[in-house]
Amino acid sequence: MHKTVEYYTTQNLLRISFLTLHISVLSLTIHLYENLIIVYFSYRFVMYSLHYLYLIHLNQFSYLLQIHKSNTL
């Protein structure tokens, strides 16, 4: 059976379209993981910041409590 030029052209176009589809899916997956990584590190940064603010607040509170105790004695 003799295959025509149109057949090969169609096959090549199909291959190119499937390749383009795979590349776009891969690109979307990469962007999704990038966004997940950004969200994860942003969350960790916020939690660490809140933790340190809380520790600073506790430290200031204990310092004020010591001053108050020393003034009352």
Side-chain angles (χ1 to χ4, degrees):
M1 182 176 151
H2 183 67
K3 296 185 178 176
T4 61
V5 173
E6 287 85 10
Y7 173 80
Y8 287 112
T9 307
T10 308
Q11 289 296 104
N12 284 337
L13 283 174
L14 277 173
R15 284 188 186 119
I16 290 172
S17 65
F18 277 119
L19 185 67
T20 308
L21 179 69
H22 286 136
I23 289 173
S24 64
V25 166
L26 184 66
S27 174
L28 281 173
T29 307
I30 288 171
H31 285 305
L32 176 69
Y33 280 115
E34 283 177 349
N35 288 334
L36 283 175
I37 288 169
I38 290 170
V39 165
Y40 173 72
F41 281 109
S42 300
Y43 170 77
R44 289 198 52 179
F45 176 75
V46 166
M47 294 313 281
Y48 279 126
S49 301
L50 287 175
H51 179 72
Y52 283 119
L53 283 174
Y54 177 70
L55 289 179
I56 289 170
H57 175 72
L58 279 182
N59 194 13
Q60 287 177 346
F61 182 73
S62 65
Y63 177 70
L64 289 175
L65 194 61
Q66 285 175 355
I67 290 175
H68 178 69
K69 283 182 181 178
S70 67
N71 285 340
T72 55
L73 291 177

